[in-house]
Amino acid sequence: MSTSKNRALPGLLTGLLVLLHALILAPAASAHVGSSGVIVQKQVGAYRLLVSVQPPDVVPGTAKVTVYVEQGRVAQIGARPVYFRSGDEGAPTHDILTRVENGRYEGDLWLMDSGSSSVELELNGPDGKQTVVVPVMSVATAVRDMPEGTGIGLALMGLLLVVMMITIIGASNADGITKPDQAASAGLGRRRLVGMGAGALVLALLLTGWRSWWTSEVEVYKDQQLYRPTSILTSVAPANGTQRLSIRIDTTGFGQNWQKKRLLSYVLPDHGKLMHTFLVRMPGLDAFAHLHPSRRDSLTYEASIPALPAGRYLLYSDIVFRSGFTETLTDTIDIAGSAPTASAPAPSDPDDSWLVANPMGIKAGAEGVPHLDNNMVVCGKPGASMKLTDGSSMIWMDKPQSVLDAGKLYTLKFAVADAQGKAVALEPYLGMSGHAAILRSDGTVYIHLHPVGTYSMAAEGSFVGRLADTARTFRYPDANQFRDSIDRYVARLNTLPDAEKNKLLMAGMPAMDHKMAVNNMVEFPYAFPRAGHYRIWVQVKRNGQVLTGVFDTEVKEPLL
């Protein structure tokens, strides 16, 4: 809130605080970059659902919940917020969503506190009763200036109220000591002026105190409630014939500000990895790597950088905490570059993958210039195809139009065919049928997608376990024992053959089951948050090899 606007509000009364408080908060994303909200697509029992949860502008505030029932007979859907801290015992009863049209239900759900939270959906109907848990981060993420017109209107209202109050105090002071039959006199006017002066002084003191309190509340909000991503310190250094990436979490300020604190010993593996790091070279977005740094200690993660060309890279690292809180840590690094050689060291993680492709072809400052990415027609709709490193092709299926609309929910479908055009079977990659990373050309939007949606499977598992826990307050286990047990689990996974590893991962993530009717396809639900040019990396596995397809698309603001 700007100082000039603070000066414009000296006459506001306490009754207007709720409106003012609501106007200074605005939504943003915490777990990813530039993509607010959570999208979930999954099968639960006889129901196939597509769920969208948009976080509130205000905490306390309301989240918008939309549920599309794609399959199954539903009579009623209830929704309630569940916080990790208080669990099922501290959660309210379900609010019933409104049926807007066939198969579509909507409702507003109050999130009353900041922290790691989830939305529990309860479905009832002829096809049975089922429960779905959607992890949602309930955090204040921005400060919004009050609109100028609103500030002027409230200031005028406050000034009018102050003038009226001073007048009433002055009149009461004069009339209170005047007998009914006493004639008007010059002294009466003086008493009224004295009363008005005293009233004005008292009101000035009250309003000065109120302003001081409000300014203090704004500062507390900015310093302690406003979400700030955890800072990291990254470095690249030569090591054993390759380049070593080090990501160190910056703990500066942890002791002075509770909002900055993270329980760093309580990081959970998400589909078998403690950290997923994506590197993308700017400005062409032509070099890409998906790495899984190993944990050296509670603060430091390390990975070998593969044979990537030299340049400046954007870094996005996803981590999940025991509470279900997810974060994307970001930075920019410079890589000296190296050419692939037969004697190059093996990757530091067996599931690391990378690709060097053609540049996106968008010059700096020309993000608004239209371009087309379709080079084929699939079933009468625009599509795109790309040759993969093993000779097969990946095809973007069922693309509704060449240029997509921002804010519209899409299911992005991709299929793989061999050199003869025949469908080929895909293998699980880290316990699921595929991964995708989407990046806007300027790096301001990033998302790590899975077939079940935009959320973390580890976060979902954390909340499902918390709902089953009857304790009102969660008690963390010993930090050293927890960290050591997680490190042993991750190290063991890395030694297992792919089939055994995927079987173990899928058993630990039953809620992410998202089987495709055809085993050469993978799909991802997503809504592009704003207009621009985007690059999509789609990763699948075939014959033990991770294959990466690259697709570009333009997104425009929808016509009103």
Side-chain angles (χ1 to χ4, degrees):
M1 182 179 297
S2 66
T3 305
S4 62
K5 286 184 173 58
N6 278 341
R7 292 196 184 106
L9 301 175
L12 291 182
L13 297 181
T14 305
L16 300 173
L17 286 180
V18 174
L19 176 61
L20 184 61
H21 185 69
L23 288 169
I24 68 167
L25 300 178
S30 59
H32 295 286
V33 178
S35 292
S36 63
V38 180
I39 299 171
V40 175
Q41 186 175 44
K42 63 168 54 182
Q43 185 87 27
V44 284
Y47 304 112
R48 180 179 171 88
L49 306 174
L50 182 60
V51 183
S52 172
V53 180
Q54 289 296 325
D57 292 352
V58 179
V59 180
T62 55
K64 184 175 181 60
V65 181
T66 305
V67 181
Y68 299 89
V69 182
E70 301 177 324
Q71 178 182 311
R73 296 167 297 168
V74 173
Q76 179 179 283
I77 301 179
R80 65 169 180 162
V82 180
Y83 286 86
F84 184 84
R85 186 170 53 249
S86 53
D88 179 69
E89 292 297 313
T93 57
H94 291 83
D95 291 338
I96 304 303
L97 302 184
T98 302
R99 183 177 178 178
V100 178
E101 57 187 14
N102 256 344
R104 180 184 169 193
Y105 295 77
E106 290 184 352
D108 294 329
L109 196 65
W110 275 97
L111 298 180
M112 299 301 296
D113 197 8
S114 296
S116 184
S117 64
S118 64
V119 171
E120 182 191 55
L121 300 174
E122 185 178 77
L123 291 82
N124 284 286
D127 287 329
K129 182 178 180 180
Q130 294 289 340
T131 299
V132 176
V133 176
V134 180
V136 178
M137 300 302 106
S138 176
V139 289
T141 52
V143 178
R144 177 184 294 171
D145 287 338
M146 178 181 291
E148 185 175 354
T150 303
I152 293 174
L154 291 176
L156 292 175
M157 289 171 57
L159 181 61
L160 176 62
L161 290 173
V162 169
V163 171
M164 291 173 61
M165 183 64 73
I166 291 174
T167 302
I168 290 171
I169 293 173
S172 299
N173 182 62
D175 295 345
I177 60 173
T178 303
K179 295 179 181 179
D181 58 350
Q182 183 178 353
S185 66
L188 184 62
R190 286 194 298 270
R191 285 193 292 270
R192 181 176 287 112
L193 291 175
V194 170
M196 292 173 67
L201 179 61
V202 172
L203 284 175
L205 292 173
L206 289 174
L207 289 173
T208 300
W210 173 84
R211 180 185 173 187
S212 176
W213 168 81
W214 177 250
T215 301
S216 174
E217 286 295 304
V218 171
E219 292 304 316
V220 169
Y221 165 77
K222 290 181 178 179
D223 293 340
Q224 299 185 18
Q225 291 181 269
L226 186 64
Y227 169 78
R228 293 180 179 85
T230 300
S231 298
I232 56 174
L233 306 172
T234 58
S235 61
V236 178
N240 300 323
T242 185
Q243 296 183 85
R244 193 76 173 171
L245 170 66
S246 175
I247 302 172
R248 183 174 179 82
I249 296 175
D250 183 5
T251 59
T252 303
F254 271 31
Q256 292 75 36
N257 190 331
W258 66 268
Q259 191 276 341
K260 291 183 178 180
K261 288 184 179 179
R262 300 291 186 271
L263 298 177
L264 299 175
S265 292
Y266 296 96
V267 175
L268 288 178
D270 197 14
H271 35 274
K273 307 297 179 182
L274 287 173
M275 179 179 285
H276 293 261
T277 294
F278 293 88
L279 300 177
V280 182
R281 187 168 74 158
M282 296 296 284
L285 279 64
D286 55 342
F288 165 87
H290 178 186
L291 310 179
H292 306 97
S294 58
R295 179 163 57 183
R296 193 181 73 186
D297 54 53
S298 296
L299 301 182
T300 310
Y301 293 77
E302 294 180 335
S304 294
I305 296 177
L308 295 174
R312 175 152 292 186
Y313 286 74
L314 297 179
L315 177 147
Y316 303 90
S317 291
D318 298 329
I319 58 173
V320 184
F321 295 94
R322 177 64 182 86
S323 65
F325 196 87
T326 61
E327 279 196 296
T328 296
L329 315 177
T330 63
D331 203 356
T332 303
I333 62 172
D334 292 311
I335 296 178
S338 60
T341 61
S343 60
S348 52
D349 188 282
D351 294 302
D352 286 356
S353 56
W354 57 95
L355 180 74
V356 179
N358 292 328
M360 194 170 184
I362 302 173
K363 297 179 180 179
E367 287 81 6
V369 178
H371 73 287
L372 298 178
D373 65 339
N374 54 302
N375 57 10
M376 61 185 302
V377 174
V378 182
C379 299
K381 296 181 180 180
S385 66
M386 178 194 172
K387 283 287 185 183
L388 303 177
T389 53
D390 71 341
S392 60
S393 295
M394 182 177 288
I395 306 165
W396 187 347
M397 306 285 293
D398 297 342
K399 188 178 180 184
Q401 63 261 354
S402 296
V403 180
L404 304 180
D405 290 331
K408 185 176 181 179
L409 197 54
Y410 292 103
T411 298
L412 310 177
K413 297 182 180 180
F414 302 90
V416 179
D418 62 18
Q420 288 73 43
K422 295 181 180 179
V424 296
L426 300 178
E427 303 163 2
Y429 177 33
L430 295 178
M432 58 192 66
S433 57
H435 297 252
I438 299 180
L439 191 67
R440 194 172 185 267
S441 59
D442 59 359
T444 57
V445 175
Y446 154 82
I447 192 81
H448 179 189
L449 279 173
H450 305 110
V452 289
T454 63
Y455 68 99
S456 157
M457 269 56 70
E460 181 185 39
S462 184
F463 278 110
V464 169
R466 186 68 181 97
L467 281 166
D469 186 359
T470 58
R472 183 64 182 260
T473 302
F474 179 79
R475 297 187 181 280
Y476 282 90
D478 178 81
N480 292 327
Q481 292 181 4
F482 182 86
R483 184 182 63 245
D484 291 345
S485 66
I486 293 297
D487 285 341
R488 288 195 298 271
Y489 168 75
V490 172
R492 176 172 173 264
L493 281 178
N494 284 337
T495 64
L496 296 177
D498 269 0
E500 190 175 345
K501 175 169 60 178
N502 284 310
K503 183 179 180 180
L504 189 61
L505 287 174
M506 289 187 284
M509 302 183 295
M512 59 74 57
D513 184 29
H514 195 276
K515 294 179 181 177
M516 296 293 299
V518 184
N519 66 354
N520 76 316
M521 293 185 63
V522 61
E523 62 183 33
F524 308 92
Y526 187 58
F528 293 88
R530 56 196 178 95
H533 291 88
Y534 290 82
R535 173 155 280 194
I536 305 171
W537 291 270
V538 181
Q539 295 197 288
V540 296
K541 201 165 192 177
R542 179 186 176 217
N543 297 328
Q545 181 182 356
V546 177
L547 304 173
T548 303
V550 182
F551 301 90
D552 296 335
T553 192
E554 182 185 353
V555 177
K556 63 177 177 60
E557 294 297 339
L559 297 176
L560 299 178

